[in-house]
Amino acid sequence: MSAVRGTSVGGDGTAGSDAATAIPTVVVPPAAVESQHGLGASLLPADAAAKTQGVFPYAADLWAEGLLWAAVLRSPHPHARIVSIDTTHAAEMPGVRAVITHTDVPGDAMHGRRVADRPVFAHDVVRHHGEPIAAVAADHPDTARLAAAAIIVEYEVLEPVTDPEKAFEAPPLHPDGNLIRHIPLRFGDPSAAGEVVVEGVYRVGRQDPAPIGAEAGLAVPRPDGGVELYVASTDPHADRDMAAACFGLETDRVKVVVTGVPGAMADREDPGFQLPLGLLALKTGHPVKLVATREESFLGHAHRHPALLRYRHHADAEGRLVKVEAQLLLDAGAYADASSDALAAAVAFAAGPYVVPHVFVEGWAVRTNNPPSGHVRGEGAMQVCAAYEGQMDKLAAKLGLDPAELRMRNVMATGDLLPTGQTVTCPAPVAELLGAVRDAELPPLPSAEDEAEWLLPGGPEGAGEPGAVRRGVGYALGMVHMLGAEGHDEVSTATVRVQGGTATVICSAVETGQGFATLARQIVQEVLGVEEVAVLPADTDQPPAGPSARGRHTWVSGGAVERAAKMVRTQLLQPLAAKFGMSVELLTIADGKITSYDGVLSTTVAETLQGKELWATAQCRPHPTEKLDETGQGDAFVGLAFAAIRAVVDVDIELGTVRVVDMAVAQDVGRVLNPRQVAARIEAGVTQGVGMALMEDLRTGRGAVKRPSLTGYALPTALDAPPVRIVKLVEERDVVAPFGAKAVSAVPVVVSPAAVAAAVRAATGRPVGRLPIRPQTAVARQG
Amino acid sequence: MLPASLDEAVAALAAMPTAVPVAGGTDLMAAVNSGLLRPAGLVGLGRISEIRGWQYADGHALLGAGLTHARMGRPDFAALIPALAAAARAAGPPQIRNAGTLGGNIASAAPTGDALPVLAALEASVVLTGPNGSREVPVSHLLTGMDPLRPGELLAFVRAPLLHAPQVFLKATARTGPGRAMASVALVLDPARRGVRCAVGAVAPMPLRPLEAEQWVASLIDWDGARTLDPRVCTAFGDYVAMACIPDPVGDPADPAGQDAGALPPAVAHLRRTVAALARRALGRALS
Ligand SMILES: Cc1cc2nc3c(=O)[nH]c(=O)nc-3n(C[C@H](O)[C@H](O)[C@H](O)COP(=O)(O)OP(=O)(O)OC[C@H]3O[C@@H](n4cnc5c(N)ncnc54)[C@H](O)[C@@H]3O)c2cc1C
């Protein structure tokens, strides 16, 4: 099925469709003057042509002389004790070169992104369906799979803990216990009360990042006893450190080389296959390759945290918020992974981008035997957005106020406080964003003449009937934080080299499709006036740049590239400036030419270089943050980004089918560095959010994943993806961010589901409290 | 193996009984790729031109099993058997419709097979060809397992009546893009026999026929006149069909309290409402 997912190409992401009316379109306000390069230009990614022509190499395309194929044996049970593992049959099969289990892990047996609580291979207990137990290397992929299946594991099946509410009382699933983190946030006066009170319960399902390319990798042993991992890592240094620790090697013996990344929604890679790959290569002395099946991909990687959210909002008679009380429960799955980060975001943003004098939140992330949860764009922030916006709709209904008006009375602005006690110092143009979507033109209703052309909910060949279709309009506001929070060292390092007429950027920030490589080219073009800029592929021989997540690289790696480029600029211009007795600031570089302010001096970059090579390396490290304390207080975030979205939906109120007709987006972007890329990121984010709103939910039965396939797990197709209209990009520069730019990818993911839910509420009159919205809740109230 | 005629294909299967026939491969290859099936050999049916079209035979159409969904969706076919054309247009994304076939849809016999309720409503039959010649079996017998496909046999043709009257196929899915049916309804009018025939797909392992509801509504239609019905009759028909296909749970005699008897779980209740709405809409469209 054709799935639309923001991958790498900054195009309009349309998949094959036979209904021309449904092709998603992105409407961008025209830029005043658009130059061809430098900041503000719609530069195309350098690899766009290769990607669209299908010749761009991904990890699954890699090859090495004499390579073996790996297969991983995964647990069929979500919770079981392993009584015994017998690998003799498997090891004796012809073509099998190695079979490894937990006894073959020479280094640390446990790993994890924040807490090392996860075994490389399960040995005493398995804690989730699909947990790795053993791995095989063989001379053919089928042999490897058959051998993995021939490993005899005797299980004593245990009762799985699948209800996060029961995790508190359940026997510990792990030596670390079942409570991964608890944040009680106290802000204001607990006895404060409002005249109007609304309560609600909200549930968010399990969204899978469903990258368009499943996990794949190649491990190549090195003569020095080390190993090189060719994987689509989004955080190569962290992956290297984790691998080296498990392999029992010094970090300089393990190199992670980043291959083309076929889609990433935050942490892309599943260590459950990276680590076995490396171990097998070390054990056999041969290169070993693995290409995960779609099923393994669904079982192995991290998902969005399912959430159960209980809310009580107090407001005064005018609709001004007085107090928000919330209980937030995130299902972490079997291991901690990034759950504490997701919980911090959920708790801090529990009340949304509104001014609330009194906020009391209890947040928990708990361990269960459900599929593992981790970083997925907008983690924590998305789940609570669906809930606090549901509450705002309830409050508006109770007060008889227009939902947009109620929100307008409460929006936050720069200088206001978050419930964590942190002052919002960055631009927070929430009122302007809301105004922009509220005032945007509504899409027309179909008229009698074009009713036949009307794409009804259920699709062109569906059962929709115009008479049963109701249109609904809904609003949502939301926010995310940018960069890592709570004291993570968010540093990045970049090197810029200029030789002849070309510049090269060396930085291990991974281009995941978010557009970092394109942005790096634009920055260097801007600073050095050199048109030809190459960005080298990332590997761990370069200094670390940190993960590709939360829009970090626009900020920290973009900032590092800019600094390095400026240092090169100074090196280049200093001799000239000295010669002509003027300061460097009086010289400008554009289109490969250097000119002085008065036009007296004019030369070219190439001439000035005289064959020399100039290098500079710089770091960017934003101001430090602090961990939330025992009452949820602290300056935990570097920066925030906001968006307002108005969703228009058509609902067949008998069948409960929903079609998103239009998404109007207004977003706080700081500064548009590449208009085409910004539009593509917003469209991708909205599409992912619409998927969460209407269909994406990885179903489990007693902890086991049901139908882990792209037929079982529905993604938005071109017919489901709505037209995305960017009605306003607010460019209020964030003075602490390099270039003043804010991250753009995550906030539309966070806000879209809430907007769609609000619109379905408006169309059906029903309290939509669950994402994805099921057809049975989108039908008109039964009389 | 790519035989060019039905006889060659039957011979190829007889020569290698462990081989499996493959038409469009849209179901079969998914099973092979995921390792569920490891056929010893494949007999490709794609080159057999005699089953890729259709012919007429005494008021019936003899449809080749190799007709693709894409071919059946075209207007010339829609003029013959409108409901089957509608089902074909609704069966998956274009890539699947270009390759997937009528025969494959029947042989796979998935509960969500879109052609199946249409064939059930048409009371079509299938022509099966094997080493011992051909035989004809009603589709319903094949699908219920009363008379299954025998080893070495191929589905060659589908015999479907040409009714020259309105037909409707409606499918409810969970999204706007292509998806499997949550429920589907095929409804055909048979003026010659003064009959309304209806089949409900996807709610049970095979299509269900609400025979009483069919007879009841057929008796209310003025077949020689305007063939219209009061909308309330259409609504009642929808409810009748839905109750027949998704009956109330029988109270558990061992459970004396029995409070929950008769209360459907919300998802099932929604499915019943969906069937009712589809049947009502289908009848309304067939009579408009
Ligand atoms: C993404 C996707 C979406 C889909 N959506 C739909 C949908 O919405 N509705 C729907 O109904 N189906 C859908 N399908 C299922 C499938 O496409 C259809 O059932 C199709 O009609 C199968 O035909 P085929 O020719 O591809 O069968 P194949 O895969 O070639 O064969 C299927 C089975 O039938 C047997 N077979 C095939 N032809 C014959 C014959 N002539 N005689 C005897 N045995 C035979 C094969 O041995 C095999 O067991 C979808 C499939 C996919 C992958």
Side-chain angles (χ1 to χ4, degrees):
Chain A
M1 238 165 254
S2 45
V4 181
R5 214 6 104 79
T7 49
S8 318
V9 186
D12 59 357
T14 51
S17 151
D18 46 1
T21 50
I23 290 183
T25 46
V26 178
V27 186
V28 193
V33 200
E34 215 168 272
S35 89
Q36 296 304 302
H37 39 79
L39 294 177
S42 275
L43 206 67
L44 271 177
D47 53 20
K51 280 179 173 167
T52 45
Q53 288 160 10
V55 294
F56 183 83
Y58 291 101
D61 305 315
L62 297 176
W63 189 260
E65 201 53 41
L67 69 76
L68 301 174
W69 294 84
V72 177
L73 173 69
R74 292 173 181 272
S75 167
H77 306 293
H79 195 202
R81 194 177 314 287
I82 297 177
V83 179
S84 63
I85 304 173
D86 180 359
T87 59
T88 29
H89 290 295
E92 283 163 5
M93 285 171 66
V96 171
R97 301 297 187 80
V99 182
I100 55 172
T101 65
H102 65 99
T103 56
D104 301 284
V105 181
D108 292 353
M110 307 289 262
H111 65 90
R113 294 210 197 264
R114 295 275 177 265
V115 190
D117 66 346
R118 186 177 199 146
V120 180
F121 291 115
H123 51 106
D124 49 352
V125 272
V126 291
R127 299 188 180 90
H128 73 89
H129 178 204
E131 181 159 14
I133 291 171
V136 178
D139 53 15
H140 190 275
D142 280 349
T143 314
R145 292 227 161 91
L146 289 173
I151 298 170
I152 302 163
V153 185
E154 197 188 321
Y155 297 100
E156 181 193 328
V157 175
L158 301 173
E159 188 62 26
V161 175
T162 57
D163 177 352
E165 287 194 282
K166 302 224 167 96
F168 294 95
E169 305 292 304
L173 300 172
H174 190 281
D176 292 358
N178 292 350
L179 183 61
I180 287 170
R181 190 173 182 189
H182 173 214
I183 308 178
L185 179 141
R186 315 254 174 273
F187 180 76
D189 174 8
S191 64
E195 288 157 69
V196 188
V197 177
V198 291
E199 293 188 352
V201 179
Y202 302 85
R203 286 168 207 275
V204 180
R206 182 177 295 106
Q207 188 173 37
D208 190 281
I212 225 63
E215 289 79 352
L218 176 69
V220 182
R222 290 207 307 213
D224 67 357
V227 64
E228 292 183 356
L229 296 172
Y230 293 80
V231 287
S233 170
T234 51
D235 189 356
H237 290 81
D239 286 356
R240 175 201 62 185
D241 294 350
M242 176 180 73
C246 295
F247 300 165
L249 294 173
E250 293 301 320
T251 50
D252 62 1
R253 291 289 170 88
V254 179
K255 177 173 173 180
V256 170
V257 182
V258 180
T259 64
V261 179
M265 303 295 150
D267 285 339
R268 178 191 148 81
E269 292 295 270
D270 161 22
F273 92 89
Q274 274 186 19
L275 298 173
L277 257 188
L279 290 170
L280 286 168
L282 288 166
K283 177 140 183 168
T284 60
H286 281 267
V288 183
K289 177 172 172 174
L290 185 146
V291 180
T293 61
R294 188 50 73 173
E295 178 175 344
E296 282 180 284
S297 175
F298 273 107
L299 295 179
H301 58 220
H303 309 90
R304 189 182 293 290
H305 289 82
L308 172 63
L309 312 156
R310 292 198 169 85
Y311 269 78
R312 187 183 294 135
H313 273 55
H314 297 245
D316 67 16
E318 276 75 53
R320 264 176 291 272
L321 291 171
V322 173
K323 184 167 77 166
V324 170
E325 295 167 284
Q327 295 180 340
L328 317 175
L329 179 58
L330 301 186
D331 179 353
Y335 298 106
D337 200 319
S339 296
S340 73
D341 298 0
L343 186 69
V347 168
F349 307 142
Y354 301 111
V355 178
V356 194
H358 311 285
V359 180
F360 294 84
V361 183
E362 294 287 336
W364 301 275
V366 295
R367 200 184 302 275
T368 65
N369 294 115
N370 290 326
S373 303
H375 272 312
V376 180
R377 240 171 13 211
E379 63 267 358
M382 176 209 263
Q383 289 92 329
V384 291
C385 183
Y388 60 71
E389 288 301 83
Q391 289 290 95
M392 294 305 270
D393 280 350
K394 263 196 182 166
L395 207 49
K398 188 143 187 182
L399 288 159
L401 277 174
D402 172 66
E405 175 55 31
L406 174 82
R407 286 171 170 83
M408 200 54 108
R409 291 184 187 179
N410 289 287
V411 288
M412 126 188 318
T414 306
D416 286 326
L417 288 182
L418 290 177
T420 54
Q422 177 168 1
T423 307
V424 177
T425 50
C426 68
V430 189
E432 190 180 350
L433 298 171
L434 176 58
V437 295
R438 186 193 51 199
D439 300 339
E441 208 180 313
L442 279 166
L445 280 164
S447 60
E449 304 94 73
D450 58 16
E451 205 167 81
E453 314 271 278
W454 189 10
L455 180 61
L456 293 166
E461 304 299 333
E465 202 151 87
V469 172
R470 299 284 177 277
R471 181 155 285 192
V473 177
Y475 296 90
L477 302 179
M479 65 206 292
V480 293
H481 66 96
M482 296 175 287
L483 312 187
E486 290 194 282
H488 289 305
D489 183 18
E490 288 297 281
V491 67
S492 178
T493 307
T495 299
V496 172
R497 183 183 74 192
V498 179
Q499 188 188 26
T502 64
T504 307
V505 177
I506 304 164
C507 178
S508 66
V510 177
E511 168 59 61
T512 60
Q514 91 280 47
F516 172 71
T518 310
L519 179 63
R521 285 164 56 217
Q522 291 177 267
I523 294 168
V524 175
Q525 288 173 344
E526 179 88 8
V527 177
L528 290 174
V530 184
E531 212 174 304
E532 285 284 309
V533 185
V535 180
L536 294 191
D539 65 47
T540 51
D541 286 348
Q542 302 153 13
S548 290
R550 286 168 242 94
R552 283 182 74 255
H553 286 321
T554 301
W555 187 311
V556 285
S557 300
V561 170
E562 186 198 28
R563 268 181 214 176
K566 282 188 167 157
M567 285 157 70
V568 168
R569 186 180 190 276
T570 308
Q571 289 177 49
L572 177 70
L573 298 182
Q574 204 109 58
L576 269 186
K579 193 161 132 198
F580 289 91
M582 55 174 83
S583 82
V584 170
E585 285 68 45
L586 298 177
L587 299 171
T588 53
I589 323 181
D591 299 328
K593 285 202 201 67
I594 304 172
T595 42
S596 62
Y597 76 105
D598 52 7
V600 171
L601 170 78
S602 178
T603 178
T604 65
V605 171
E607 217 169 288
T608 314
L609 278 170
Q610 293 175 323
K612 284 199 298 279
E613 217 185 346
L614 299 181
W615 286 78
T617 297
Q619 285 197 322
C620 177
R621 178 177 262 124
H623 60 263
T625 53
E626 57 196 33
K627 206 168 165 65
L628 293 176
D629 68 14
E630 59 287 354
T631 58
Q633 301 297 298
D635 286 356
F637 307 113
V638 181
L640 303 169
F642 303 86
I645 297 185
R646 184 192 65 197
V648 177
V649 302
D650 279 348
V651 182
D652 184 320
I653 54 160
E654 289 177 350
L655 301 179
T657 40
V658 178
R659 184 173 91 81
V660 183
V661 175
D662 180 73
M663 294 289 270
V665 183
Q667 192 166 322
D668 153 45
V669 295
R671 177 179 171 193
V672 178
L673 300 175
N674 182 325
R676 190 204 310 265
Q677 214 150 268
V678 165
R681 301 314 293 159
I682 292 176
E683 187 203 8
V686 169
T687 306
Q688 193 182 15
V690 166
M692 177 83 252
L694 296 181
M695 62 197 86
E696 293 190 42
D697 192 6
L698 190 68
R699 299 296 187 85
T700 55
R702 297 181 48 76
V705 178
K706 289 182 187 169
R707 309 217 294 149
S709 71
L710 288 177
T711 335
Y713 183 86
L715 289 168
T717 66
L719 286 168
D720 302 288
V724 176
R725 279 197 298 147
I726 298 171
V727 296
K728 178 134 203 161
L729 297 176
V730 176
E731 295 193 72
E732 209 181 304
R733 296 191 185 187
D734 187 348
V735 290
V736 299
F739 327 107
K742 293 191 175 189
V744 291
S745 297
V747 68
V749 184
V750 165
V751 184
S752 305
V756 172
V760 172
R761 249 173 237 133
T764 61
R766 306 240 308 182
V768 176
R770 179 191 280 267
L771 295 179
I773 299 164
R774 294 180 299 182
Q776 70 213 55
T777 51
V779 290
R781 237 177 240 288
Q782 296 293 300
Chain B
M1 241 175 296
L2 280 172
S5 72
L6 270 173
D7 292 344
E8 275 179 50
V10 169
L13 278 176
M16 194 180 180
T18 48
V20 172
V22 55
T26 58
D27 277 330
L28 187 82
M29 293 317 288
V32 171
N33 290 342
S34 67
L36 291 174
L37 204 71
R38 293 187 177 273
L42 292 175
V43 176
L45 307 179
R47 294 266 173 87
I48 308 177
S49 49
E50 63 194 291
I51 59 166
R52 294 183 67 86
W54 67 85
Q55 30 187 326
Y56 305 100
D58 56 75
H60 283 75
L62 212 51
L63 312 175
L67 274 169
T68 60
H69 293 300
R71 184 66 194 90
M72 291 188 290
R74 296 230 285 268
D76 55 346
F77 190 91
L80 288 181
I81 313 179
L84 195 53
R89 283 197 299 265
Q95 300 92 317
I96 296 298
R97 295 201 299 272
N98 285 335
T101 63
L102 178 61
N105 204 275
I106 301 170
S108 291
T112 55
D114 285 327
L116 308 181
V118 180
L119 298 177
L122 289 169
E123 296 185 336
S125 57
V126 289
V127 179
L128 308 175
T129 304
N132 308 320
S134 290
R135 62 193 182 105
E136 197 164 324
V137 175
V139 166
S140 58
H141 290 195
L142 190 75
L143 294 178
T144 52
M146 262 172 71
D147 202 346
L149 209 63
R150 294 176 194 153
E153 255 182 356
L154 281 175
L155 228 150
F157 300 100
V158 173
R159 186 190 297 279
L162 296 172
L163 300 175
H164 309 291
Q167 306 181 342
V168 182
F169 170 80
L170 294 180
K171 165 177 173 180
T173 58
R175 66 171 176 192
T176 301
R180 292 297 179 110
M182 295 194 312
S184 63
V185 166
L187 186 138
V188 304
L189 301 186
D190 187 349
R193 286 159 61 191
R194 302 190 165 226
V196 173
R197 295 202 297 276
C198 173
V200 178
V203 300
M206 65 216 61
L208 302 177
R209 286 277 305 276
L211 295 172
E212 285 175 26
E214 291 177 1
Q215 280 158 16
W216 172 75
V217 79
S219 73
L220 297 178
I221 293 174
D222 173 10
W223 289 99
D224 303 314
R227 289 206 306 225
T228 53
L229 286 175
D230 189 295
R232 279 171 303 179
V233 175
C234 293
T235 305
F237 172 73
D239 292 341
Y240 201 162
V241 170
M243 283 301 281
C245 296
I246 304 173
D248 281 330
V250 192
D252 182 358
D255 169 21
Q259 293 128 329
D260 285 343
L264 292 178
V268 183
H270 178 69
L271 193 62
R272 184 195 272 172
R273 281 197 302 271
T274 300
V275 171
L278 292 180
R280 189 195 76 224
R281 290 179 188 185
L283 182 63
R285 288 188 200 184
L287 297 176
S288 68

